Structures are given as structure tokens and as C-alpha cells.
Amino acid sequence: MVRLEIRKNAYYDSVTLMLISKELKKLDGVKEALVGMGTDLNMEIAHNIGVATPEFDKEVSANDFFVAVECASEETFSAVLKKVEELLNKKTESKAAAYAPPTLEGALKIDPELNMAVISVPGRHAADVAQGCLDNGINVMLFSDNVTIDEERALKQYAYAHELLVMGPDCGTAIINHVPLAFANVVRAGDIGIVAASGTGTQEISSIIDQLGGGVSQVIGTGGRDLKKEIGGLMMKLGLDALKNDPETKVIVLISKPPAKEIATEILTLASKAGKPVVVSFIGGDRREVESFGLIAAVSLEDAAHKAVAVSKGEKTEDFVSFTMGDEKAEALAKEIAGKMAKGQKYVRGFYTGGTLCDEAMKLMIGTLGHIYSNIPLHAEDKLADAKGGRSREHTFLDFGDDEFTVGRPHPMIDPSLRAERVVTDGKDPECAVIMTDCVIGYGSHPNPAEDLAAAIREAKAEAEQAGRHLCCVCAVCGTEGDPQCLSKTQKQLEEAGAVVLPSNAQATRFVARVLANLQ
Amino acid sequence: MEGGNARMRAAALCGRLAKLTQMPVQTGRVHSVFAHAVNLALDGREGLISLVRSDRTLPPYAVSVETPYLLNEAGVSAGMAAAVGNGKVEIPQAGISLDCSRAERADLRLDSVQAANANVRLKERVPVLLDLLRETDGDGLSPLVTGRGGNVYSCFLENRVAHLVQAVAGGEAQRAALAAERIAGCGPGLTPSSDDLLNGYLGALRVIFNAQGTPQKTDMLRVMAERAAGMTNRISASFLLACGEGLAAQDYLALLTLIFSDADDARIKSAAKAVLSVGSTSGGDMLTGLVLALTHHTEG
């Protein structure tokens, strides 16, 4: 049956219209759907593809928004209307749920005690708005990017002098007084405090802490540039100081890419005087430097979580470099998978929505693989040309959150469809042995990021089987049972699609290394 | 909207709109409201006037508004009274009064593009544009030029676009106008894809004709735009009419300027990416129109 919904003289932005069009086609029972403005030609196309009803020509005009669907039943059409309404009113609903004052002044009138602001405005305004908050004694989480480093330095110097936090710019993750801000996971309250210059790195550590039975007191983001010389690690220092003085925090975890030498020395010196155990995860950095300050060095994000929980429980720390499933079982599984592969299958492709997770995977595997081509390469000579439009090369790892993939579209943690397409594309490569991916859940992420990924894995594996190959797909889900998407449900979807699902990014990389070793 | 509109400032405006603001007050209504734009319909005027957030490209007949807030959260609703004149753009009921007298004037005339190397290397610009279009989802009309699998809209328009190109190449004004009319209003999005394609195509043709020393042909472009405007919704028609007048959005104008200069591919690509980021498929459809114009109407 064909059904029609018309909104007279209604205008919605193109991105919303495209989203509606794509989402309707995914609904069970919808055979065809056309969404757009009721121009003559769009009506002609509606007739051509069989979604025009008799009233269509009479009632729709060029200034009307229409939804025309061929569907299985009235119930399906009701579901269509519900979906359209949901997508059109998403914003309205969230506004109706609570009064959202449009200005800082208005917010302060409602609650003069406000002391934390999340700022997500276009970059050119962000510093101004942030300074306005600092002037009012309000700590800032600066989600916006495109803030210049000079602006960042000025904001942070002011904030540091006034003992206020500026988390960011481009800070995506924080948990303050157990309230998750932006992209964060539902983790239990506990005694581990985190200061981090990495979004998904923080999510990985805090989620694993939760999975191990630990909990966090605070998660303070600093923004990715904080430990650069120009900024001097001001917020890492302030965050460290805050956790040092926080009675709820018994263990401190510091997360960052390896900082500049002099900044690292300053931070590690301060950490060594914190009076509390400090676990340091300078991803890919020199552990001896960390240990020379009497601090606990982590060899991976997962290892940082294990060590923090061990210290929290008063247990001895040791490097966690094995498998939750057991080393023997992992080896047997890797061997079995490698044994099914065809001659010529030898390369791994890592497709990530989390930049830090991609970076960590490459650092953990570079020793084994030699060269890893990427849009965020570890070495300049391994830069993959035209990462988005072109083809993968040998061992290739892509960060789908990098700028070239996000022009005109949401971050892949919100819309992972481009990554799913790449899984299918690379699955056709006869030299591709393993595709590994992350899957980040939690607040802010796609409501079910495993859905598209699982479908892509099924398709890629089926095509490979038809071509006489066996494609191994390895996934690591970053999140917790308490997350809206649910860790175990997400893992199950991927397992049912035929993926090998590991509990962490580090274990996923170790497993892939074993598969490749068995191939050799 | 307490305090909010005090932080709304006119940063720049289309030169043609600047002239309108200097005239006696013309009244009208708010036509439509979006997060990043508000459209005003002035009495007796077909084309719309727009308020556009400054993080978006400046289109013709628009004023660029600096504000940290989304425009659909600024207390503006469709139907509210609006006025343009005496140096201001105003929506009194929403407390919006933009003083345009000190805002920067943007010259959005396509005739302002100076063609430094007409015809000689223009076709060499096409591959870099095609590479970018191949990176898109292909939801709009880019399959018409990329050769990738088409969608329901591109398949529908394939022959019609071929007729359009033939008519323009043959200088057949009436046939070209009819062809434009038969293409307009087709595709997804608020501004149907074919309208965006026409905007890209007609805008590029104007610069090409100027560069080829045949500016008299631009009359044909105006008629084509007007005929196409009659086949689509008012917002999209407004862009087509402005294109027929010889105006283009700032990012597209910047791209055309680079294409007709000696700029290297990296700069072209960067400018094309800015165009590509417009709307859902709009930017890609404009680039598709540009590729059609460069491919079929330039030499060398």
C-alpha cells in the first residue's frame, strides 16, 4: 500500500530531510520511501517509483514537505509517521524537557551558584564565551574546536591564576562529581581520579575500570593540546592538584600522548609529590622515564585501568599483557582462524571512530607490522594519500574522526556509516586478512553503533567466503553495562555477525598480532 | 530573549542587500526559520532576504550575523513582521535590529571574477573536483559526472541534463530555458538537488562567457534561471533568481575565482571542500554543475 504525509508550507533543513529519508528506508515493512519538497519533478518521480497516491497531485505543492511511502501495512505507516515526528521534533522535545536559557546571564539569574559550563558554539565565538564564564567564576568544558592556541593559552593562564578549570578546547569527555559531560560512559562512583588529554582514551580506561569492579571519582579533560609547550600542561597541573586535594580520590591516573620533554618532567615531578599513587599512561611513551619518578607506568590504556584498580584494592601491580579469555584459548582461536585463510591474505585494516584508540593500536602493533599506513600515521612517510576516497595500502589504520572524514557530516561516533562502508570495501581485497574496529558506546554516541557495523561485517565475511577466503573481523567495544546501548548487547550483536569481540583495544591488537603470526 | 539579541551583530552583508537597506523601509514577514538562517519575504518581492549565521557561507541578499546562538532559538517565528531599510534589518517582535551601516559589504557579483587564464587550462580543474565528488555519498546528482552508480534522481535527469548542455553549447536560448525548466525542482533536500546543480552550472557559465568575451550570452542565463525558479519552492527559487541576476554565494564565488586564476590544486581543493560542506547534498550538486560547465563549455 502507498501512503502519503504532507506538511503544508513547511520547511526543514536539508540535513534533517536526508536523515528522515535514510531512516525511513531502514524501517521493517517499508519497501520504498521518497521524502522532499513537492515540486512537479519530485511528484513525477513519486509516480515513477510507485509511491504517489491520487491525492498527491491535488494536494502537494512546491512549498510543501512530503513523505510518500510504499509499506506493508497501516501499522508500518504509523511507525513511519512516528519516526518522522521523532526526527523532526528531536530538538523540540529536548528543549521542552527543561528550560534552556539562551544566555549565560539568563542562566546565572536562574541559578547564581552555577560553577560549570559546557560550551559548544562555533569556534570563533568559543573563547569569548569561555572568558565570559571564567569572569563569572565558572569552570569551563570547552567542547568547541577551532579555538586558536593563543586563545587557549590566554584562557588557561587566566583560569590557572584563578584556580578554574578550562577543559578543552575540543574536549569531548569529562565526568565531574559523577555527572557525565558530552561523550562519557556510565561508570560507577569510586576512588580513581583521571586527568586526561584524550577523549576515547579516557572512555576506554574509565569503562575498563568499571568492568573490573572499580569506580571513578572525577574525570577531568584537558584538551589535546594542553601538554604542548605553548600551553605548558596548565590544566593537567591544575587537574592533578584538584585530585590531590580531593578526599574521594585515592588513586590518580594521567592520560596523554607523550608530552614535550620539559613538560613531562614538570608533570611527573608534580605527580611524584601528590601523596597518592599515580598511574601514568603516556600512550607509546617511555615507561622508564615515568618509573624514574616513582610512578606507575602503564603499557596500554587497558593496563592503566588494571593497575589503577589493583592499587585501589591494595593489590600489587603488574603489566597486563594477556587475554581475559586466557592465553591458550586466544592462541588456539587465532590459529584456527589463520588456518582458514587463503594464500595471499596477509594484511590488517584497522578502522576506528576513536582517534586515541587508533593511535594506541598502531603503537602497539608497529613493532610487529613494520609499516602502518594511516591518515594519522606514526611516521610521516606512512601517510596514506587520499585516505577517504582512495584505497587502503598494505597494513592500513584509519581514524574516521579525522577532519577529512568529517567534512559535512557528523563525527563517526554519532554516524558510523562511512566506516561500515569501508569494512565492506576492504573485505573485498584478496590480501586483506583481518579487519579490526572499535565500537564506542555511551552518552553522545550513536544509539546503536553496532547495527551498521554488524551488517557490514556479515556482508564482508559472506563475500569473502564466496570468493574462497576467510575474513577475520576483530572488534573491541568501549563502554559499560550501564551505558544506554549496553556493553553486552553491543558485543552480542557483533559476535552474532561473526566478529571476534575482545574486551579492550589492547587485547584486540594482541589477538590480531597472533592471527598474523600464525599466518606466517 | 533576554540579553541574547544584544549579542547579535551584522558582520557583513551582500552588496546588493546593502543597497536595499539604504532605501526607504520595506516591510514583510518572516518566511522560514532554521538553526543557521532566517528568511524574510518582503512585500512585492519574489526573492527572499536572509539572516545567516556567520559560520555559514554568505549567500546573495543575505546579512551575516555574528551570534553564539542558533537562530531558531532566538525567539523568531515564521509570520512575524519584518522590515528592511534605513540601514537596518529588523524583526521587532523578536527584538532583532541589525545595524547594517557598519557591516562589511561583500561583492557577490559573478562579474567580479577576473578570468586570468580563460579556456586554456580550465578543463584541467575538473579532476580535482571529481575526486572530491567521488568522496561524497553520491546521494545528490554527482553520479551525473562521476560515473558512479546513479540514484533515482540522477537517472531521471540524465537525458534532461544532456539536452540542457547541448542547448547551451548551441547557443539556443529558448531551448536552454525550456531544458532548465524541465530540470528544476528535482531531488532531495530543502533546495532540490537539480536547483543546486543549476546554480553551480549557471554561475560558472556566466564567468566562462565573460572570459570568452561573449557577455551577451548572460541574458540567456537570466532567462534560464527565471524559468527554473518557477518550478521549485520559494527558498530554492530565491537562490536561482539571484543567480540569474549574476550573484553567487561567497564560498562558491571564492572557488570560481581560484579556478579562473593560476591557483594550484591544493587551494582549489580546499575552496571546493568549503562549497561541498553546504547543506546535505547542495554543495556537491553545485560542484556537479560546475564540472558540467567546465567539461562542456570550455576549450583546451
Side-chain angles (χ1 to χ4, degrees):
Chain A
M1 64 173 64
V2 176
R3 289 289 183 269
L4 177 67
E5 168 75 359
I6 305 167
R7 304 281 172 98
K8 302 296 283 184
N9 293 309
Y11 300 97
Y12 303 103
D13 68 82
S14 290
V15 176
T16 303
L17 295 185
M18 188 59 75
L19 188 64
I20 291 173
S21 182
K22 288 190 169 177
E23 289 297 313
L24 293 190
K25 287 175 184 170
K26 288 182 187 170
L27 291 179
D28 285 342
V30 172
K31 293 174 188 166
E32 188 57 85
L34 195 67
V35 176
M37 302 302 291
T39 57
D40 286 355
L41 287 201
N42 280 346
M43 287 200 280
E44 194 173 334
I45 287 175
H47 281 285
N48 288 350
I49 64 172
V51 293
T53 60
E55 73 264 34
F56 199 91
D57 296 340
K58 294 178 200 161
E59 294 182 16
V60 181
S61 80
N63 292 311
D64 303 335
F65 161 70
F66 76 87
V67 176
V69 291
E70 184 185 2
C71 53
S73 64
E74 286 297 346
E75 287 74 28
T76 305
F77 186 57
S78 297
V80 165
L81 292 181
K82 193 176 165 193
K83 192 72 181 174
V84 170
E85 205 62 35
E86 178 191 317
L87 293 168
L88 290 178
N89 294 326
K90 220 170 182 176
K91 199 150 185 125
T92 315
E93 276 175 18
S94 63
K95 276 170 67 184
Y99 173 63
T103 65
L104 176 63
E105 293 78 10
L108 282 169
K109 276 185 184 171
I110 292 170
D111 187 353
E113 301 300 312
L114 288 177
N115 65 359
M116 173 64 69
V118 180
I119 297 174
S120 177
V121 299
R124 72 170 69 176
H125 299 293
D128 182 35
V129 177
Q131 186 61 54
C133 291
L134 296 174
D135 290 342
N136 283 282
I138 297 172
N139 297 284
V140 165
M141 178 183 186
L142 195 47
F143 191 78
S144 309
D145 56 4
N146 291 318
V147 174
T148 68
I149 199 145
D150 289 339
E151 289 172 328
E152 179 177 348
R153 183 172 53 240
L155 285 171
K156 287 187 170 174
Q157 283 175 345
Y158 180 93
Y160 189 78
H162 292 79
E163 296 192 336
L164 291 168
L165 288 171
V166 173
M167 298 188 285
D170 203 14
C171 176
T173 302
I175 302 175
I176 302 297
N177 294 337
H178 313 301
V179 178
L181 303 175
F183 294 100
N185 301 90
V186 180
V187 295
R188 69 171 62 82
D191 59 7
I192 301 170
I194 300 173
V195 192
S198 148
T200 46
T202 309
Q203 288 190 265
E204 177 84 344
I205 289 185
S206 59
S207 293
I208 295 173
I209 286 172
D210 182 87
Q211 291 165 29
L212 294 172
V216 304
S217 52
Q218 310 282 350
V219 174
I220 299 170
T222 66
R225 295 187 304 210
D226 190 69
L227 277 80
K228 283 185 178 291
K229 275 186 200 170
E230 294 90 330
I231 309 297
L234 287 175
M235 286 303 121
M236 183 68 87
K237 292 176 192 168
L238 198 62
L240 185 56
D241 193 53
L243 295 183
K244 178 181 148 187
N245 294 310
D246 175 24
E248 281 189 39
T249 301
K250 306 289 186 223
V251 185
I252 298 171
V253 179
L254 304 182
I255 311 168
S256 167
K257 287 184 181 174
K261 174 77 179 162
E262 58 269 42
I263 306 298
T265 303
E266 272 192 71
I267 298 290
L268 295 175
T269 303
L270 281 175
S272 67
K273 295 175 184 169
K276 297 178 180 180
V278 180
V279 179
V280 180
S281 178
F282 285 162
I283 305 157
D286 181 359
R287 69 179 299 169
R288 287 169 302 182
E289 185 186 13
V290 173
E291 287 169 346
S292 71
F293 284 84
L295 305 169
I296 304 163
V299 296
S300 69
L301 296 167
E302 178 187 40
D303 183 46
H306 276 265
K307 284 174 176 161
V309 172
V311 174
S312 165
K313 291 179 177 172
E315 296 168 359
K316 194 181 162 197
T317 61
E318 52 187 38
D319 291 352
F320 184 81
V321 289
S322 57
F323 292 92
T324 306
M325 71 170 84
D327 281 17
E328 282 182 18
K329 192 175 174 188
E331 176 61 21
L333 183 59
K335 194 171 183 178
E336 180 194 335
I337 289 170
K340 294 177 186 171
M341 289 184 181
K343 197 176 175 186
Q345 283 188 271
K346 54 188 171 184
Y347 295 126
V348 56
R349 305 283 155 76
F351 297 146
Y352 281 82
T353 59
T356 302
L357 297 175
C358 185
D359 184 59
E360 183 194 37
M362 290 196 291
K363 283 173 176 165
L364 291 173
M365 298 193 80
I366 189 71
T368 312
L369 302 183
H371 281 280
I372 300 176
Y373 295 95
S374 177
N375 57 335
I376 53 161
L378 299 180
H379 308 294
E381 67 269 25
D382 294 335
K383 175 85 177 169
L384 186 69
D386 191 16
K388 186 180 175 191
R391 295 175 57 165
S392 300
R393 179 180 176 189
E394 299 175 10
H395 300 298
T396 292
F397 278 61
L398 297 178
D399 170 15
F400 280 78
D402 199 37
D403 289 349
E404 68 179 303
F405 285 100
T406 54
V407 174
R409 57 183 306 133
H411 190 278
M413 277 161 60
I414 300 169
D415 175 7
S417 57
L418 207 58
R419 192 261 297 268
E421 288 169 20
R422 190 70 178 236
V423 168
V424 176
T425 307
D426 273 48
K428 293 174 182 168
D429 181 351
E431 291 187 315
C432 176
V434 182
I435 292 178
M436 62 185 298
T437 69
D438 61 356
C439 184
V440 183
I441 60 174
Y443 292 121
S445 288
H446 187 282
N448 185 4
E451 188 179 20
D452 276 3
L453 182 57
I457 288 170
R458 275 198 185 87
E459 187 179 342
K461 285 178 77 73
E463 285 198 28
E465 293 295 338
Q466 280 183 351
R469 290 179 281 114
H470 177 77
L471 180 66
C472 174
C473 295
V474 176
C475 306
V477 181
C478 172
T480 69
E481 281 301 288
D483 283 333
Q485 303 91 338
C486 182
L487 175 64
S488 57
K489 284 182 184 170
T490 306
Q491 289 172 326
K492 192 176 173 205
Q493 285 183 78
L494 296 168
E495 281 168 353
E496 286 175 352
V500 179
V501 180
L502 279 302
S504 72
N505 189 46
Q507 288 194 47
T509 57
R510 287 198 287 273
F511 184 77
V512 171
R514 290 201 177 204
V515 172
L516 296 183
N518 276 290
L519 280 176
Q520 289 155 7
Chain B
M1 150 117 204
E2 197 173 64
N5 298 339
R7 300 190 69 181
M8 202 179 271
R9 187 179 77 85
L13 81 167
C14 166
R16 210 62 72 85
L17 175 59
K19 285 183 182 169
L20 271 185
T21 62
Q22 287 157 6
M23 294 167 68
V25 172
Q26 299 178 62
T27 58
R29 299 270 164 197
V30 174
H31 173 267
S32 42
V33 181
F34 303 93
H36 298 278
V38 170
N39 294 314
L40 312 179
L42 297 184
D43 301 336
R45 185 186 153 77
E46 186 60 29
L48 301 170
I49 307 295
S50 303
L51 280 62
V52 177
R53 268 172 60 107
S54 56
D55 57 343
R56 292 292 193 268
T57 186
L58 181 71
Y61 287 104
V63 54
S64 175
V65 180
E66 277 197 347
T67 172
Y69 307 108
L70 297 177
L71 294 176
N72 60 354
E73 293 176 353
V76 190
S77 304
M80 281 183 175
V84 174
N86 288 343
K88 290 181 178 174
V89 174
E90 295 183 299
I91 308 171
Q93 205 178 331
I96 293 175
S97 178
L98 296 169
D99 179 1
C100 299
S101 60
R102 278 176 291 180
E104 181 190 336
R105 265 59 170 165
D107 184 356
L108 301 184
R109 290 176 307 117
L110 287 154
D111 292 348
S112 69
V113 178
Q114 298 295 315
N117 59 355
N119 289 339
V120 181
R121 293 170 49 214
L122 288 175
K123 275 198 171 67
E124 291 178 19
R125 303 306 203 186
V126 170
V128 66
L129 299 173
L130 285 178
D131 284 348
L132 271 179
L133 285 171
R134 289 190 183 107
E135 291 175 21
T136 65
D137 292 340
D139 285 327
L141 296 177
S142 62
L144 289 171
V145 293
T146 59
R148 290 198 319 194
N151 53 50
V152 64
Y153 303 106
S154 62
C155 293
F156 180 81
L157 287 178
E158 196 171 1
N159 288 336
R160 297 184 186 210
V161 169
H163 287 149
L164 174 81
V165 167
Q166 282 170 10
V168 171
E172 301 170 70
Q174 285 196 342
R175 201 176 140 221
L178 180 63
E181 188 179 87
R182 294 189 67 235
I183 285 170
C186 181
L190 174 66
T191 52
S193 288
S194 61
D195 300 351
D196 296 320
L197 178 146
L198 282 169
N199 273 320
Y201 180 67
L202 297 177
L205 280 181
R206 188 168 183 116
V207 182
I208 290 169
F209 289 162
N210 283 338
Q212 291 173 343
T214 55
Q216 66 278 9
K217 284 188 182 175
T218 55
D219 275 351
M220 173 172 75
L221 305 181
R222 181 182 52 76
V223 177
M224 289 166 71
E226 286 175 359
R227 292 280 288 274
M231 300 305 293
T232 189
N233 68 64
R234 190 162 179 191
I235 294 174
S236 199
S238 191
F239 289 123
L240 282 164
L241 291 172
C243 180
E245 282 184 44
L247 301 174
Q250 204 160 29
D251 282 351
Y252 189 58
L253 206 59
L255 173 61
L256 287 175
T257 302
L258 289 174
I259 280 181
F260 284 82
S261 74
D262 292 322
D264 58 28
D265 280 359
R267 291 182 68 198
I268 302 275
K269 190 172 181 181
S270 172
K273 274 187 176 177
V275 174
L276 200 60
S277 67
V278 175
S280 178
T281 61
S282 293
D285 293 324
M286 287 186 75
L287 292 186
T288 302
L290 170 58
V291 168
L292 283 171
L294 293 175
T295 305
H296 297 287
H297 306 297
T298 63
E299 297 163 13

